[in-house]
Amino acid sequence: MNDYAGAEKWVPHDGGMRKVRAVLGDCRGCDLWEDAEQAVAGEGPVRARMMLVGETPGDHEDKEGHVFVGPAGHLLDKALVAAGIERSEIYLTNAVKHFRFEREGKRRIHKTPSAGQIVACAPWLRRELEIVKPELVVVMGAVAARTLLGPSFRVTQHRGERVELADGRAAVATVHPSAVVRSQEFRRDFDRFVKDLRGAAALLD
């Protein structure tokens, strides 16, 4: 695991989300900033009751500077509608704020962040949690689960269950929507993803 400086020295510990977004692009806590177009901040109401945490920006997000605007984002939008959740009422973010990729010709292919990069970026997510104070966090995918629930947590073993973060906050883990996009059994896996989201929303009722 690379010994990265970590994001802590760049994360503001006063001020709100506007300040976080203003300085996020200055972060040099790991090496992902070197190749990415930009850091991608979270979006949504600062007092959202529900926060959805994905893994990392993809190619579209890196180019556009917004979360969940690529194929996985479009699928997430459809799943939220099916689950009765308004995207405008939730806070969406990623555990890692820069796109990690490898090139295949002109294409940029997503590559999972290393353990060191995940740890280095975690202070940004912790600060978002402090500011938003969501009642429930939906943890989507292994990178988000590693950040919020620890390296031993397995989404496959606890998917859809109510679990708790280290601070006692309620959470539900599920797959990342990109896994559904790639699925060979799309309808089954889309329906199961919607079921997870619907179950998470029910915890707020």
Side-chain angles (χ1 to χ4, degrees):
M1 189 170 84
N2 292 74
D3 187 19
Y4 296 116
E8 192 68 41
K9 65 178 285 187
W10 285 274
V11 177
H13 296 287
D14 58 0
M17 200 64 75
R18 185 175 297 178
K19 189 171 183 179
V20 168
R21 291 176 179 140
V23 301
L24 176 62
D26 297 331
C27 185
R28 301 293 183 264
C30 74
D31 58 353
L32 289 182
W33 67 272
E34 296 176 1
D35 295 321
E37 295 285 337
Q38 59 195 312
V40 180
E43 297 176 354
V46 176
R47 287 291 177 264
R49 296 180 67 200
M50 181 186 292
M51 178 186 283
L52 269 63
V53 181
E55 300 194 327
T56 173
D59 183 67
H60 289 80
E61 290 78 12
D62 183 49
K63 291 174 179 174
E64 298 182 33
H66 296 287
V67 291
F68 290 100
V69 293
H74 296 320
L75 181 136
L76 177 61
D77 286 343
K78 293 177 183 177
L80 289 171
V81 170
I85 299 170
E86 292 284 344
R87 177 165 170 154
S88 64
E89 295 179 0
I90 61 177
Y91 186 88
L92 280 165
T93 192
N94 284 303
V96 174
K97 308 305 186 190
H98 284 104
F99 179 36
R100 188 186 191 201
F101 61 90
E102 55 190 7
R103 293 193 180 276
E104 287 187 7
K106 294 183 178 180
R107 298 177 63 208
R108 302 191 304 170
I109 307 300
H110 170 270
K111 188 174 181 181
T112 302
S114 70
Q117 290 160 341
I118 294 168
V119 170
C121 204
W124 289 110
L125 181 56
R126 287 198 293 269
R127 183 60 185 145
E128 288 177 299
L129 285 166
E130 290 170 1
I131 294 170
V132 178
K133 298 181 175 63
E135 296 173 40
L136 176 73
V137 179
V138 179
V139 182
M140 301 189 298
V143 172
R146 183 184 182 95
T147 302
L148 291 170
L149 295 163
S152 63
F153 186 89
R154 295 292 178 267
V155 173
T156 52
Q157 295 176 11
H158 301 285
R159 179 177 179 174
E161 298 176 10
R162 184 192 184 282
V163 295
E164 289 187 356
L165 305 187
D167 62 4
R169 198 185 316 269
V172 171
T174 185
V175 296
H176 193 276
S178 62
V180 182
V181 171
R182 299 190 303 267
S183 173
Q184 298 299 309
E185 297 188 59
F186 177 82
R187 176 48 56 186
R188 181 202 67 180
D189 289 338
F190 179 79
D191 289 346
R192 191 175 179 195
F193 183 53
V194 170
K195 181 181 178 182
D196 291 342
L197 294 176
R198 192 178 289 131
L203 294 175
L204 294 176
D205 295 337

